[in-house]
Amino acid sequence: MFPEDELNYYNGVLPDGEYISAAACDVAWGGGDSLSMPFGNAFGGDDGPIYIPDWIFNKGDKYITKPLVVAKIMQHKPNMVRAEANNGGDEYAEDIDRLLREQGFKTNISWAKASNQIGKMAKIIQYAPDVKKRFYFLKPELQSEEYKAAMEELTMFVQIGNNTHDDAPDGLVQLLQL
């Protein structure tokens, strides 16, 4: 669904202009799934480009991922962070907020349950054209190991057939829904 040659890339330098910085956290508790948290800088409103300067994509448990999430939020300073509240994501987000406040850092952190009106695959299919049109990913040589792993999962994702995991495309769709 997301062939590498159909995606947009950039050199790590953001264009001039005002933007809103946000992050979406698809929480995972280990066990094979990855916590997927793309950071995005959105230019030009609802249809403008979104540049992805960083992406946490980690299979570790909460004791590994929470310090990573806190550090990256403090590094990128997003205006808003939203976590998927299903399966304890609300508790995860509350704990991240507490850890950030202990560091003297405040940002808008919210959580919401994924809608049960539409399945995850249908949601990914619905937003696939927007992912290909609006997102700008770092050039491969600028990507961290976790960013590369997320991109590999994204570019290997298929509409027909089996996907072992859907964490990368789901994290991007959640970012679009902010």
Side-chain angles (χ1 to χ4, degrees), residues 14-20 41-51 134:
L14 293 175
D16 291 334
E18 298 283 320
Y19 61 87
I20 294 174
N41 297 317
F43 289 79
D46 292 341
D47 291 326
I50 302 170
Y51 291 80
R134 295 187 60 204

Side-chain angles (χ1 to χ4, degrees), residues 23-28 34-39 54-58 60-78 81-83 89 92-100 103 105 107 109 146:
C25 186
D26 183 16
V27 177
S34 296
L35 178 138
S36 179
M37 187 173 184
F39 288 79
D54 208 346
W55 198 336
I56 300 172
F57 197 76
N58 193 292
D61 64 27
K62 65 183 178 181
Y63 298 109
I64 292 171
T65 62
K66 283 181 182 180
L68 290 171
V69 168
V70 168
K72 291 290 185 177
I73 289 172
M74 290 179 70
Q75 175 187 350
H76 294 289
K77 299 174 178 46
V81 175
R82 182 163 36 169
Y92 190 96
E94 287 177 349
D95 204 28
I96 294 298
D97 187 42
R98 179 187 58 78
L99 292 168
L100 287 166
Q103 297 288 323
F105 186 86
T107 191
I109 297 181
E146 289 189 17

Side-chain angles (χ1 to χ4, degrees), residues 12-177:
V13 178
L14 293 175
D16 291 334
E18 298 283 320
Y19 61 87
I20 294 174
S21 180
C25 186
D26 183 16
V27 177
W29 300 100
D33 278 346
S34 296
L35 178 138
S36 179
M37 187 173 184
F39 288 79
N41 297 317
F43 289 79
D46 292 341
D47 291 326
I50 302 170
Y51 291 80
I52 307 296
D54 208 346
W55 198 336
I56 300 172
F57 197 76
N58 193 292
K59 292 185 183 305
D61 64 27
K62 65 183 178 181
Y63 298 109
I64 292 171
T65 62
K66 283 181 182 180
L68 290 171
V69 168
V70 168
K72 291 290 185 177
I73 289 172
M74 290 179 70
Q75 175 187 350
H76 294 289
K77 299 174 178 46
N79 303 90
M80 65 181 94
V81 175
R82 182 163 36 169
E84 187 174 74
N86 301 27
N87 302 321
D90 51 345
E91 293 172 33
Y92 190 96
E94 287 177 349
D95 204 28
I96 294 298
D97 187 42
R98 179 187 58 78
L99 292 168
L100 287 166
R101 288 177 186 274
E102 286 174 3
Q103 297 288 323
F105 186 86
K106 296 177 185 175
T107 191
N108 180 343
I109 297 181
S110 63
W111 49 92
K113 290 198 180 286
S115 171
N116 61 3
Q117 300 296 315
I118 183 169
K120 191 181 293 190
M121 179 57 119
K123 183 173 68 169
I124 292 169
I125 291 168
Q126 175 185 348
Y127 284 97
D130 295 306
V131 168
K132 290 191 259 186
K133 176 185 175 197
R134 295 187 60 204
F135 283 117
Y136 285 78
F137 301 98
L138 284 173
K139 292 172 23 176
E141 62 269 21
L142 300 174
Q143 297 172 3
S144 68
E145 290 304 312
E146 289 189 17
Y147 199 125
K148 286 180 188 196
M151 292 299 293
E152 184 175 332
E153 184 177 291
L154 179 68
T155 58
M156 300 299 288
F157 193 81
V158 295
Q159 182 173 346
I160 299 173
N162 292 329
N163 296 293
T164 306
H165 296 285
D166 55 17
D167 306 312
D170 191 34
L172 292 172
V173 167
Q174 289 181 42
L175 188 57
L176 278 170
Q177 293 178 317

